[in-house]
Amino acid sequence: MRHILIIGAGRSATSLIRYLLDKSSSEDLFITIGDISEEHAQKFTKGHTNAKGIYFDVSDAKHRAAVIQQNDLIISMLPASLHMEAALDCLKYGKHLVTASYVSKEMQDIDAQVKERGLVFMNEIGVDPGIDHMSAMQVIDKIRDNGGKMLLFESFTGGLIAPESDDNLWHYKFTWNPRNVVIAGQGGAAEFIQEGTYKYIPYHRLFRRTEFLEIEGYGRFEAYANRNSLKYRSIYGLEDILTLYRGTMRHIGFSKAWNMFVQLGMTDDSYIIPDSENLSYRQFINLFLPYSPTDSVELKLRHNLKIDQDDLMWGKLEELDIFNAEKKIGIKDATPAQALQKILMDKWTLRPNDKDMIVMYHKFGYEIDGKKKQIDSSMVLIGEDQTYTAMAKTVGLPVAIAALKILNKEITTPGVQIPITKEVYAPILKELESFGIHFIEKHTAYMGYNPNNVAG
Amino acid sequence: MRHILIIGAGRSATSLIRYLLDKSSSEDLFITIGDISEEHAQKFTKGHTNAKGIYFDVSDAKHRAAVIQQNDLIISMLPASLHMEAALDCLKYGKHLVTASYVSKEMQDIDAQVKERGLVFMNEIGVDPGIDHMSAMQVIDKIRDNGGKMLLFESFTGGLIAPESDDNLWHYKFTWNPRNVVIAGQGGAAEFIQEGTYKYIPYHRLFRRTEFLEIEGYGRFEAYANRNSLKYRSIYGLEDILTLYRGTMRHIGFSKAWNMFVQLGMTDDSYIIPDSENLSYRQFINLFLPYSPTDSVELKLRHNLKIDQDDLMWGKLEELDIFNAEKKIGIKDATPAQALQKILMDKWTLRPNDKDMIVMYHKFGYEIDGKKKQIDSSMVLIGEDQTYTAMAKTVGLPVAIAALKILNKEITTPGVQIPITKEVYAPILKELESFGIHFIEKHTAYMGYNPNNVAG
């Protein structure tokens, strides 16, 4: 029997746990789920003979080492900053490790030792990062294997509300950490490269420089630029590529409306508002508008943002009830971003039957035999319910599949790594298809940025 | 004979040195000017029997202590971060200290020891901070002495080009550190209070929320908000004031045009542009505009910023030659802010005969005997030439006057302090008048934010 330890039984672990439990008999697995809440850990293991849930505090070095020693492979679903102590124990006791997080500097630093011990430390194998790496590299490798030269790579991912649950004017609900949505894009200009030219977009313009993407059967989406597209040049071996752009997908109209909050300064997370607890939503909005003894908050906002009488954006603001003078922020020492998050959570929290949706879209431009061509590849997954969400599936299933394939010695190359080699992505992408996670490819002439090639 | 040591003989020290040399015979002073450049230090002392210029490196502890011991009062004109070592020596050897810099935490921390030794450590006694403190506190004290209650305090300062030297469309030249102008307003939202309501302006809106100020004989100016107006509540004893706002003055139209650079992201100082050295001005601008194979940089910029065909702002851009495809940035590893500064310095550097101008404007709103009233107080000073600039005079003269009054025991209250007490500001403001630095007061009904009181 092979022993797997899953650390952290949060929302993103549901599909991961179900996959491994379902395989536990046929694959001869024993699953231990360790969580800071024992009840949480045991929720999934009740009635299973091949599984148990235990109290597990990753900062308790003695207990951590003891539990890790009893297992063959460790899956850490903790926040990225908490992986390292478990990783060092895995190295010490010769256990494989799988995480869905970005490779930290500390993690990269132990690569040589991990290799020496013949261990696989697989990271960035969730959805983004994860499925994006695998699905992109599969197409890029195919193009290059056929003798093609990559010209353009654009990649977009979005965690959205499913069409059947989309019932607000923003076409958005929080299907993941709300805080990350409110502060998305902050911390520096977005940087990318288009037709060989570097391009920079400051935060306050990010949500006004979107581009459109069409997915058959799901209509149009929009995307705004991620901060650091350029790091994918070296990761994907695209050093000479002319266009490299990564972005975040939203339903149409979201970004332009979100820009209202950005423009007013309501997404700022760097200072605390005095007496934020007792501020009404209306007073909160008024912090960002000029003082006037004669004009309403409404008119000041309309004038400040130049919102016409018949602009749809106005309805989006009203729907959030931001002009309400009774509702209180109710959070002590809140930053503007925290106060805004509170207002949004009133309206953007999922209802019991709501489903989420993950969308992904890649564009690959390339030249082969003197001809410029393009492949567009897209994936849509809708969640089952609020336990087995599309987010939990796309994050957890690649992790689970990778873990089993490492145990089964189908993935063997040792080292600290991410899923960009054929050994890793090919079998995982294949198995993901049976869970409904599949990419549809569309082959066209190169659309790139050549105006003569624009589709009719 | 009394001995004064001036550390740092930079551009802001000219008027300070001239004042003290002029008084050296009648007041029995010996002036030592210490600078990292001995030639620089001696430039001012040639032919003076009561002065000498010496090489002085503030980081050389032994020499620093030796020179400080030979003097009775030390004036530090070094950057604020370099004061503390000299300050600690002053404390040790019992010497008074005068600086034009903000009181740092370290400086404040030695207050008790400075008091114990009976020393005066006078700081923030330049122009801003300095003359602003003194001129504001004089009026505030007068209002309160008469039984008035302060309702509003707004204060604005600008370092500008004099009208006779104003020959570009921006009505601006660099009369001080260009870098500070390019990155002005960055680092967090501007915070102030209007009629009892907190107000916040994010950086990207700062230059579009200006207000106008009129100075008789000089016309209209505009002002944008400084970052931290609220710290003046406790400093000036205005804890209950309804309106508190500090800003920076510019000639009309500057801020709206400057906002173009802010919007595009060209003032960002947080990242380095690849191959910045070889980038043309035109290529630099294009970094911040969407890629297009068919459209010019000019049209993309017009469209991006919605600049009409007949908008005056366009001429301002053309005047800077920013669309030039030949001129190179020529700076290695430049940030956008550094590259922009280079472009601006081509056009905004003072010509040999250009003169600068300092403008200051305060508004004091108050209630007395049930009536609301207002005093507006303004000061304009034009520089003599490029040695005795308005900036050097307004920074250096208060420092020089304070130093002499401390030696003459007219200013005696010990401690780390700023010039907000009558003992300090009254005699200094009086003497500054003889140098043309005088405030003109205008008494009106309270204009504040009461629409019924708006002037016709």
Side-chain angles (χ1 to χ4, degrees), chain A residues 188-189 191 194-195 197-200 202 204-205 209 262-265 268 270-274 286-291 293-294 300 304-305 449-451, chain B residues 188-189 191 194-195 197-200 202 204-205 209 262-265 268 270-274 286-291 293-294 300 304-305 449-451:
Chain A
E191 183 186 17
Q194 278 178 308
E195 296 288 326
T197 310
Y198 285 93
K199 295 291 177 189
Y200 301 91
H204 63 268
R205 304 280 284 181
R209 294 248 312 252
V262 174
Q263 288 309 309
L264 291 172
D268 198 322
S270 70
Y271 64 89
I272 283 167
I273 304 162
N286 198 31
L287 295 177
F288 307 98
L289 296 169
Y291 175 82
T294 49
K300 288 192 296 183
N304 208 257
L305 297 179
Y449 292 93
N450 182 341
Chain B
E191 183 185 17
Q194 280 179 307
E195 296 289 326
T197 310
Y198 286 93
K199 295 292 176 188
Y200 301 91
H204 63 268
R205 303 280 285 182
R209 290 236 331 241
V262 174
Q263 287 310 308
L264 291 172
D268 198 322
S270 70
Y271 63 90
I272 282 166
I273 304 162
N286 198 30
L287 295 176
F288 307 99
L289 296 169
Y291 176 83
T294 50
K300 289 193 295 183
N304 209 258
L305 297 180
Y449 292 93
N450 182 343

Side-chain angles (χ1 to χ4, degrees), chain B residues 242-253:
Chain B
L242 292 173
T243 298
L244 185 59
Y245 182 97
R246 286 176 54 97
T248 297
M249 290 172 82
R250 293 284 178 255
H251 287 293
I252 295 285

